[in-house]
Every structure is written in structure tokens, then in C-alpha cells.
Amino acid sequence: MNSPPPPSPWGLSLSLRVVLTLLLAWAAARLCVWLHTPIPWMIGPLVASALASVIGAPTASWNPLRNGGQWVIGTALGLYFTPTVGALVMGLWWAIALGIAWALALGLGFGAWLRRVHARQLDHLSPAELRSTTYFAGAIGGASEMTLIAERHGARTDLVAAAHSLRVLLVTLTIPFGMQAWGVSGIDLAPPGAREVLPGGFALLTALTLAGILVMRRLGRANPWFMGALLVTMGLTLSGVTLSAIPPGLSAAAQLVIGVSLGVRFTPAFVHTAPRWLASVAFASVFMMIVCAGFAWLLSLVSGLHPATLILGTSLGGIAEMAITAKVLQLGVPMVTAFQVCRLVAVLVLAEPVYRAWVRTMKKPG
């Protein structure tokens, strides 16, 4: 998923393609601000770059910009974890555990359904390849991480990556507009621990989070630019240390580049890859959003959390996209972040063991 974009048939250099894509994304973001859409600095760039990519325009995303966007968002989210909020999150560990179990069960069911529906269409695959392809396409984890794991098990990685990309796109476009139509916002129990941008504190925060990112990269952890910045900032904020807030313009720019990085995946080749497979993923994604909303509502009854917070926390979207939605709409940022981060870690750790256990169960006689 992080491979460099292919050469442009338009004869444009990568740098020019990136600049043109960013200009398009900025114009789309400004239009969405004017239209009062939810999370305009991510929705506008995402939709504009996706539409342009689908029709074959020479769009491009530069990985260092996306990494920088994740760095900013991870840092901004960590500022919400004040000691009071941290105690609240820890007190609801059981709800987070239920969210993890729900995600694993949902992903397993989704993969089994894909296998049943597409067994004939994918009859050129061996039984092992079919199992791994459908299982890892259904797992509710990060697109890059699930694709890499799937590759180790001989899966069709293009189908796995396509399933995750389409699912995240649909969730990212649907849920924010659903929240806006619902009219829910501003339910955070507390604002970020730091509210003022202090140049010296911001410089120190930048250095410390960069160190955390480098450590995570050294350890080979998933999403190091997001998780490294998040964990360092969480540690500081939970300790009562408030160095600086994040400049609003920098936060908007981070949302923009994350939106672009998702939108440029939808090339003409993507659209023409197994249309029936994509249609199945789209149908299942909508169905799972509905059942996830029902699960969130039931969990809200026993946890006391707002249903909107739990819908974001248990949704099928990417961690950065759902956390950005929670941050912009002020819908329980710490809880949403905790649910999404814990689920990401759990799925990364458990996806392969669950797959192996599932395969052993299927191979048992009778």
C-alpha cells in the first residue's frame, strides 16, 4: 500500500502531480467549508482526489506528507488524555474489551460470507488461497497491515487491499454525514489538556513525539507515525504536563493530506478490479455499519457513554479517519481513540492466531 505511484501517462513528474493534487484538495476543502459539510478538511480532499483518480487524472500522494499528517493527528489526540479522562477510560476497560471481541467476530463473519459468495468466481484459487484472501479481506484492521499479513499466507493481496480501501472510504464518507444529520456534536467531557499554542512548548513536543516515532519504527510497530506521537503525547498529558496545543492550520493540513492519501487509491484499475467483489464489499460494509450502530447503542445503555461516541469507537473505519471525526465534532475523542487503538493492536496481534485456529477447525473431519 505504500509503494510509489506509477509513472504518469500525462508525462508529469511526481512532484508536480503531488502539488496539483494538493491544490485540488485545498480547493475542495474550501468548498466544503463553504458548504458546511462535516470534517471539510478531510472529506473535501478525499472526495476530490478519489473522483479525479477514478477518471484517470494524474493524482499522487507523497508518503512523507501522509506520515506528517498522522504525526500531527496522533499528537493532537494525545492532548485529550488528561488524568481525569484517563481514569474514565481505564474504568471502561470492559467496554473496550467487548468492542475488540465484536470486531474480531464481525471480521470473521465477513470473511466467511465473502468466501461463500465468491467461491465460484474465485475457483481459480486453491482452497488455501481462497480462505486467506477472504479472511484477511474481512478482518477489521488496517489496510496496509492486513495486506502484508495476507501476503504471507498466499492471499490475493489486490483483493484484500481493495476490500479494506473501499470499506474505509464508505465509512469515512457515511458516518460524518450521519452525525451531522443527527445533529450531535460537542459532547466531549473535557477539552484538550493544552489549549494555547506556545512556540517553545510546541518545539519540545515536536522533538519528543519524533523520538517516540523513531522508537516505534525501530521496533517495527504498525502505524509508527501515528502511534509513536499518540503514545508520547498521552504519556505527557496523563502526567499533567501541558507543553502546547496544535496550531489549527496544522491540524487542517494534516486532515487534508490524510484525505488525499486515501482518495488517490481509487484509480481506474481499482474500479475495474473484480467489480462483483467490490459490490459485495460495499453491500457488506453498509450492513456492518448498521449492525455496528446497533451494537454501539446497546453498549451505550450499559456503559453510560453517548451512542455517537460508541458508534465512532466501534465503527469499521480507519483509526485516523474516525479519530479526526471525533475531534472535529467533539464526540468523545479519548474514548473513540482508545476503542480504535486497542482494536487495531488486538487485530494485529490476534488476526493470524485466529486464522490458524479457524483453518484447523475447518480441516477437522466431520
Side-chain angles (χ1 to χ4, degrees), residues 2 23 46 49 57 73 93 105 119 160 217 235 242 302 324 330 334:
N2 291 324
L23 289 174
L46 191 162
S49 57
I73 295 301
W93 62 268
V160 174
R217 291 190 65 188
T242 55
V302 294
I324 288 171
Q330 300 176 28

Side-chain angles (χ1 to χ4, degrees), residues 13-77:
S13 66
L14 173 60
S15 58
L16 183 55
R17 292 166 63 195
V18 169
V19 170
L20 291 175
T21 304
L22 292 176
L23 289 174
L24 172 67
W26 179 85
R30 294 302 307 170
L31 177 61
C32 286
V33 169
W34 182 70
L35 293 174
H36 301 289
T37 69
I39 53 173
W41 288 96
M42 185 172 72
I43 291 291
L46 191 162
V47 172
S49 57
L51 290 176
S53 299
V54 164
I55 64 175
T59 58
S61 173
W62 193 39
N63 283 338
L65 286 180
R66 181 180 184 274
N67 293 340
Q70 291 188 317
W71 180 4
V72 171
I73 295 301
T75 302
L77 296 176

Side-chain angles (χ1 to χ4, degrees), residues 129-155:
E129 290 171 334
L130 179 62
R131 281 196 302 267
S132 59
T133 298
T134 53
Y135 172 85
F136 289 106
I140 313 300
S144 299
E145 293 79 19
M146 289 300 102
T147 303
L148 289 173
I149 296 174
E151 186 177 19
R152 292 203 294 266
H153 291 270

Side-chain angles (χ1 to χ4, degrees), residues 22-354:
L22 292 176
L23 289 174
L24 172 67
W26 179 85
R30 294 302 307 170
L31 177 61
C32 286
V33 169
W34 182 70
L35 293 174
H36 301 289
T37 69
I39 53 173
W41 288 96
M42 185 172 72
I43 291 291
L46 191 162
V47 172
S49 57
L51 290 176
S53 299
V54 164
I55 64 175
T59 58
S61 173
W62 193 39
N63 283 338
L65 286 180
R66 181 180 184 274
N67 293 340
Q70 291 188 317
W71 180 4
V72 171
I73 295 301
T75 302
L77 296 176
L79 295 174
Y80 282 86
F81 285 82
T82 62
T84 301
V85 171
L88 172 65
V89 172
M90 291 299 295
L92 289 168
W93 62 268
W94 57 271
I96 296 174
L98 284 176
I100 292 171
W102 169 257
L104 290 170
L106 198 63
L108 190 59
F110 180 24
W113 180 80
L114 284 174
R115 179 171 176 267
R116 181 171 184 175
V117 170
H118 291 280
R120 288 187 178 180
Q121 179 194 6
L122 301 176
D123 58 0
H124 58 284
L125 299 180
S126 69
E129 290 171 334
L130 179 62
R131 281 196 302 267
S132 59
T133 298
T134 53
Y135 172 85
F136 289 106
I140 313 300
S144 299
E145 293 79 19
M146 289 300 102
T147 303
L148 289 173
I149 296 174
E151 186 177 19
R152 292 203 294 266
H153 291 270
R156 275 276 304 272
T157 55
D158 59 330
L159 296 180
V160 174
H164 286 284
S165 297
L166 183 57
R167 171 177 54 81
V168 172
L169 175 72
L170 292 173
V171 173
T172 303
L173 290 179
T174 302
I175 289 184
F177 282 99
M179 295 294 175
Q180 186 179 58
W182 187 1
V184 61
S185 64
I187 61 175
D188 269 323
L189 296 176
R195 305 187 196 183
E196 184 181 357
V197 178
L198 303 172
F202 180 69
L204 180 57
L205 182 62
T206 299
L208 293 174
T209 51
L210 178 58
I213 289 166
L214 295 176
V215 169
M216 292 290 282
R217 291 190 65 188
R218 181 77 174 179
L219 295 175
R221 299 293 183 248
N223 286 357
W225 290 90
F226 180 88
M227 295 297 296
L230 174 68
L231 293 176
V232 168
T233 314
M234 276 179 58
L236 291 171
T237 309
L238 285 169
S239 302
V241 178
T242 55
L243 296 175
S244 173
I246 301 298
L250 189 59
S251 180
Q255 295 174 49
L256 185 149
V257 296
I258 288 175
V260 167
S261 70
L262 179 58
V264 297
R265 299 177 186 178
F266 296 88
T267 61
F270 175 92
V271 176
H272 291 102
T273 298
R276 187 182 170 194
W277 173 267
L278 295 179
S280 297
V281 170
F283 171 80
S285 297
V286 172
F287 173 78
M288 289 192 294
M289 279 190 273
I290 295 172
V291 297
C292 278
F295 173 76
W297 178 75
L298 291 175
L299 194 56
S300 73
L301 296 179
V302 294
S303 68
L305 294 172
H306 197 284
T309 298
L310 289 170
I311 287 174
L312 289 173
T314 60
S315 72
L316 313 172
I319 178 173
E321 292 80 15
M322 292 301 97
I324 288 171
T325 302
K327 179 180 181 298
V328 174
L329 299 180
Q330 300 176 28
L331 296 176
V333 173
M335 289 306 305
V336 172
T337 305
F339 267 85
Q340 291 283 349
V341 168
C342 291
R343 185 191 70 191
L344 172 67
V345 173
V347 171
L348 287 176
V349 171
L350 297 175
E352 284 188 281
V354 170

